[in-house]
Amino acid sequence: MPRQRVDKSERRLDVFPTFFKVAGKRVCVVGHGDEAAAKVRLLGETNAAVEVISKEIELALADAIVAVGGKHVAEEFRPALLNGAALVFSAREDEALDSAVVQAARIFGVPVNAVDKPHLCDFYTGALVNRAPIAVAITSTGVGPVLARHIRARIETLLPRSTGDLATLAESFRDAAVKVIPDGASRRRFWARFFSGGVATSVHAGNLDKARQEAQRLLNGPTGEPGFVWLVGAGPGAEDLLTLRAQRLLQEADVIVHDALVPAPVVAMGRRDAERISVGKRKGAHSVAQKDICQLLVDLGREGRKVVRLKAGDPMIFGRAAEEMDALREADLGFEVVPGVTAAFAAAASAQLPLTLRGVASTLVFATGHNAKSETLPEWAGLALKGSTVAVYMGRTVAAAVADKLIDAGMDRETPVAIIENAAHPEERQFAGTLSDLCMLQGRSDIDGPVLIVIGEAVGHAALEKAEPIVAMPLKQEFAA
């Protein structure tokens, strides 16, 4: 059978995307209410001289005019007021009135947009992402502004606010790059390193002086780009709980060194061609020793690689980040810590559990079931007895010992306890009970995921009505008569 031909016009746009120069030029908005105010706020992202034409205006529009430094022309609309304008927006919220503005603008040869009336428009305004001097505009003539706003929200997350600062810095080096690096291919490599290496890292960290020094060093010589390591918190496992900075760095990394508890979909958010190295560690099954992980980070950094060390939760909370930072400092390698959502916060959010509560718990303790010498329940028992909320990490196998020691120390056996397994994951489970029930956790073979144990009176204020009991219900047995 002959192949079906695709009409090329189906893949062509009905509009040509372009940008108008409006700095210092008159842009007129004809209207009195909310639609006019929305256009004034949008124009306030530019250096246009905004004029609003309407005899009377609503309060929201008046506030918008003041906020953008615009001008209110308090007259009834007449065509002559559009003479000399660069652009016109009609937001009169009436078909006939907007048509009159459109006709007048065309007489004066001024491009015109009638808000929410595409059949009257000479041009469309897209959803705007402002990273001056960079701008991204998105519009859709098919499904309209809703999709455009959705796409804009996604782009907002991908472009840090500091992107404009990076573009401004690049502009200041453009002429020098042409003079110093006349070869086009070499210049492209320079800009690739500029936008994805130490220069960009320093700009996004807010250190513009260091960024300029890095850019000058790149320009001056052929020395290799130094490596850099980011210790990044992957959060509790949900992809949408990653920070925007973590998402950006995953896209920039040459190598992703990740723990076993970091879910595969989160690791997959990295750049497609990035090398992925698992250094997974679980209790009792350490696949890579910590000293070897530290050495790996140093070796990769010395090779000039950009490395994301991806850790479950937050790197600074039981993530052994201190040892890795010490190794990187000793090797004189640059690094940065990117915080993540720690398991206690994710568990508290899922269970609607206030970790601190006025009149009940004013102190929050993060603890583990073991100290460095593998001793159960070291020094935090006293804090728990004073009314603190205690979040116990990695405590499933020592839950009974923790409960016994707290009870022996004087804690009420009926103190509320919550257990969250796989916090913020689709397979999350919640369990509720008391301190005396905690001894049963170790024997629950059906609970084999990472657990977070929360102990304290604040647990009694959580939304745990649908939680399973910590003490498993016995199976019903039938006996012969």
Side-chain angles (χ1 to χ4, degrees):
M1 293 180 62
R3 295 180 60 187
Q4 185 177 0
R5 297 182 63 182
V6 177
D7 187 349
K8 289 185 178 179
S9 65
E10 294 180 1
R11 297 182 181 274
R12 292 176 178 170
L13 296 170
D14 292 332
V15 296
F16 182 76
T18 187
F19 290 89
F20 289 98
K21 291 183 177 180
V22 296
K25 298 181 180 180
R26 288 176 59 231
V27 175
C28 296
V29 178
V30 184
H32 63 282
D34 289 340
E35 289 184 352
K39 290 305 177 189
V40 168
R41 286 190 287 267
L42 180 64
L43 289 166
E45 301 282 341
T46 73
N47 287 317
V50 181
E51 290 186 4
V52 174
I53 301 171
S54 182
K55 187 171 183 179
E56 296 180 356
I57 59 175
E58 294 177 4
L59 180 59
L61 178 54
D63 290 342
I65 294 170
V66 172
V68 306
K71 175 183 177 182
H72 177 206
V73 180
E75 299 182 28
E76 295 288 359
F77 171 73
R78 51 191 175 85
L81 294 174
L82 304 184
N83 190 19
L87 296 174
V88 172
F89 292 87
S90 183
R92 302 179 81 181
E93 303 178 22
D94 178 273
E95 179 89 13
L97 295 177
D98 283 329
S99 294
V101 174
V102 169
Q103 292 171 14
R106 287 173 178 166
I107 290 173
F108 287 104
V110 182
V112 60
N113 174 283
V115 178
D116 288 339
K117 298 177 181 64
H119 58 286
L120 295 178
C121 293
D122 292 335
F123 66 93
Y124 302 131
T125 57
L128 180 65
V129 179
N130 182 2
R131 298 293 186 267
I134 294 172
V136 181
I138 311 101
T139 190
S140 172
T141 58
V143 295
V146 175
L147 177 60
R149 287 195 292 268
H150 173 72
I151 295 172
R152 175 200 172 191
R154 298 294 298 272
I155 294 176
E156 287 274 9
T157 65
L158 295 174
L159 290 179
R161 288 284 174 185
S162 51
T163 300
D165 294 330
L166 183 60
T168 300
L169 182 62
E171 178 68 20
S172 71
F173 275 84
R174 186 176 63 176
D175 292 341
V178 171
K179 292 179 182 178
V180 176
I181 314 174
D183 175 62
S186 298
R187 196 160 60 245
R188 284 192 294 273
R189 287 193 293 271
F190 164 79
W191 287 118
R193 292 194 296 270
F194 185 102
F195 287 113
S196 63
V199 177
T201 296
S202 296
V203 169
H204 295 318
N207 194 336
L208 295 181
D209 290 338
K210 183 178 179 181
R212 183 169 291 278
Q213 293 170 5
E214 285 288 322
Q216 191 64 55
R217 184 194 59 75
L218 270 182
L219 191 63
N220 287 344
T223 55
E225 176 82 0
F228 200 91
V229 178
W230 291 275
L231 307 181
V232 176
E239 297 162 60
D240 56 354
L241 286 180
L242 275 178
T243 65
L244 299 181
R245 185 179 299 180
Q247 292 183 44
R248 173 175 59 81
L249 294 175
L250 282 169
Q251 284 295 312
E252 295 179 6
D254 300 317
V255 186
I256 300 170
V257 180
H258 61 91
D259 285 342
L261 290 177
V262 179
V266 174
V267 179
M269 294 175 73
R271 203 176 76 200
R272 189 167 299 173
D273 59 343
E275 181 181 358
R276 291 158 170 78
I277 302 175
S278 174
V279 290
K281 295 191 294 180
R282 291 183 182 272
K283 182 174 175 61
H286 292 198
S287 61
V288 181
Q290 184 60 49
K291 64 180 181 61
D292 294 330
I293 295 174
C294 293
Q295 188 60 51
L296 173 65
L297 298 179
V298 169
D299 292 342
L300 292 170
R302 284 174 172 166
E303 292 172 8
R305 314 285 288 278
K306 290 174 292 181
V307 184
V308 162
R309 171 69 173 105
L310 196 59
K311 297 171 173 285
D314 183 276
M316 304 300 231
I317 299 179
F318 307 123
R320 305 190 72 169
E323 295 157 75
E324 295 171 9
M325 290 190 294
D326 286 344
L328 293 168
R329 288 192 193 100
E330 187 174 344
D332 198 26
L333 284 168
F335 68 89
E336 177 186 344
V337 180
V338 180
V341 177
T342 189
F345 297 154
S350 293
Q352 299 177 25
L353 193 165
L355 294 171
T356 60
L357 186 63
R358 188 168 59 178
V360 177
S362 59
T363 306
L364 173 62
V365 178
F366 292 159
T368 62
H370 294 87
N371 62 11
K373 298 178 182 179
S374 295
E375 297 168 341
T376 302
L377 192 68
E379 63 280 354
W380 50 264
L383 293 172
L385 291 173
K386 294 176 182 178
S388 300
T389 301
V390 179
V392 184
Y393 292 67
M394 300 170 284
R396 184 170 64 89
T397 59
V398 294
V402 167
D404 288 344
K405 289 202 172 186
L406 284 174
I407 291 171
D408 289 344
M411 181 172 277
D412 191 332
R413 299 171 63 90
E414 298 303 309
T415 300
V417 171
I419 297 171
I420 313 296
E421 179 189 21
N422 294 315
H425 289 238
E427 61 272 22
E428 176 186 291
R429 297 169 70 193
Q430 300 177 357
F431 303 85
T434 65
L435 186 60
S436 61
D437 298 330
L438 197 55
C439 62
M440 305 300 294
L441 177 60
Q442 187 172 348
R444 293 283 302 263
S445 59
D446 61 318
I447 303 176
D448 56 3
V451 299
L452 192 286
I453 303 171
V454 186
I455 305 169
E457 295 299 331
V459 176
H461 297 264
L464 294 169
E465 295 83 3
K466 297 182 180 180
E468 302 173 50
I470 296 175
V471 180
M473 299 297 290
L475 295 173
K476 293 183 178 180
Q477 299 183 12
E478 296 183 1
F479 296 94

